[in-house]
Amino acid sequence: MNLVVLQNWLDNASFAILFLTMLVYWGGAAFPNLPYLAALGTSGMVIANLCIATLLGARWIEAGYFPLSNLYESLFFLTWGITAVHLIAENSSRSRLVGVATAPVAMAIAAFATMTLPSQMQASEPLVPALKSNWLMMHVSVMMLSYSALMVGSLLAIAFLIVTRGQNIQLQGSSVGTGGYRSNGYRLHKATELISQPPTPAVENNGFARFETSSNGNGNGNTAVLNLVTTPESQAVASAEPLSPQRLSLAETLDNISYRIIGLGFPLLTIGIIAGGVWANEAWGSYWSWDPKETWALITWLVFAAYLHARITRGWQGRSPAILASAGLLVVWVCYLGVNLLGKGLHSYGWFF
């Protein structure tokens, strides 16, 4: 089969599969009593990932270089990275809500690359001299993988804010570091559970106080009761509508997996920036020239460095780091696409202008 025809078929197939997968994940969120939808959504992501991998492989064989030289190729590589990181996150969290957040973004990127870009921008062309280097694969691929991981982590942070309705809740099972204190202001226990520990002082619990009550034994032992006792410092949280145990459990999962995925993307971003500096010195004679792309890569690094510092050293969890990660999603898009839309700087190869 002609490789160009195969590529055209695969990019359309990838978009169609991602679109159907998005509908499956959304249907699973709307009808959680249909368990087969979760497996169907995961299968759709796997198939889309394999289709895009085959597309990039055919592109590599046809052009003779690693397919990351223009916008069309990088968009599909980004989509492949998002689907790959999605599968890691979903396998770790066992939550279909991961797909609810990531599938629409992957589908939109594939749709933009397939339907919006003109045909001349989709065709492979000979590399410009500056890109004829092994650093094309070593630097750009690592940067794109870091973008994928940071985007997925940020999307899960946004999902966390939606699930918790923006409430500032205490979580158990998330990050804890030098200055952190792991606790749970919303404590779930059974109606017949006896007192197992004394109340936690409000100062140690970051404004939340909790206690456990005993029962006279008349309960059936299967009823989950959610008790929240607040101090004067947490009246604003107490006045909000309490979250269900299911939402709290899901919020803890999303917070934890978002933190871990961003923790995966940040080292990749660091390695990519270092590799880019070495390549820049080889190609342009300077490790750093404050090119717009370089500047925004540094801004992206600083934003997620602040996120990880806040979580590991300061012990932040819940709403505050989720808001910071959500802002990081915008910064990543500006770094990846927004800078190049202007067509300015040393990195404007194969883009719009």
Side-chain angles (χ1 to χ4, degrees), residues 154 161 303-308 310 316 319-329:
S154 299
L161 293 174
V303 168
F304 287 101
Y307 170 87
L308 292 175
W316 283 19
R319 183 178 63 181
S320 297
I323 293 174
L324 184 57
S326 302
L329 178 64

Side-chain angles (χ1 to χ4, degrees), residues 89-102:
E90 188 176 64
N91 182 67
S92 300
S93 65
R94 303 294 181 183
S95 173
R96 70 180 69 185
L97 194 63
V98 175
V100 175
T102 58

Side-chain angles (χ1 to χ4, degrees), residues 85-204:
V85 176
H86 160 89
L87 293 173
I88 297 173
E90 188 176 64
N91 182 67
S92 300
S93 65
R94 303 294 181 183
S95 173
R96 70 180 69 185
L97 194 63
V98 175
V100 175
T102 58
V105 175
M107 185 275 298
I109 296 173
F112 179 72
T114 304
M115 302 179 180
T116 303
L117 294 182
S119 57
Q120 61 268 24
M121 292 191 66
Q122 298 184 19
S124 59
E125 297 179 352
L127 291 176
V128 298
L131 297 181
K132 293 180 179 179
S133 171
N134 290 330
W135 287 104
L136 173 64
M137 179 173 64
M138 298 174 66
H139 163 62
V140 183
S141 62
V142 174
M143 289 297 293
M144 296 303 297
L145 288 175
S146 72
Y147 292 161
S148 301
L150 294 176
M151 285 181 183
V152 171
S154 299
L155 287 170
L156 295 179
I158 294 174
F160 168 85
L161 293 174
I162 294 174
V163 167
T164 60
R165 306 190 191 101
Q167 296 185 35
N168 189 20
I169 65 174
Q170 295 289 311
L171 299 174
Q172 187 170 9
S174 59
S175 65
V176 61
T178 304
Y181 181 82
R182 181 179 299 174
S183 64
N184 189 3
Y186 295 86
R187 181 167 180 80
L188 178 66
H189 57 276
K190 294 181 179 180
T192 57
E193 187 176 5
L194 298 176
I195 297 176
S196 60
Q197 57 179 316
T200 303
V203 174
E204 297 181 2

Side-chain angles (χ1 to χ4, degrees), residues 237-255:
V237 177
S239 62
E241 182 182 354
L243 301 177
S244 67
Q246 292 78 13
R247 277 180 174 263
L248 289 171
S249 176
L250 181 57
E252 288 184 349
T253 300
L254 291 174
D255 180 79

Side-chain angles (χ1 to χ4, degrees), residues 15 57 67 70 81-82 120 152 159 219 236 241 269 289 320:
F15 161 71
N70 60 26
I82 290 175
Q120 61 268 24
V152 171
E241 182 182 354
L269 179 64
S289 57
S320 297

Side-chain angles (χ1 to χ4, degrees), residues 42-71:
T42 303
S43 300
M45 276 293 188
V46 171
I47 295 172
N49 182 273
L50 293 176
C51 285
I52 297 173
T54 305
L55 165 65
L56 294 174
R59 189 89 167 188
W60 195 348
I61 296 173
E62 178 207 358
Y65 57 81
F66 194 72
L68 274 175
S69 64
N70 60 26
L71 180 59

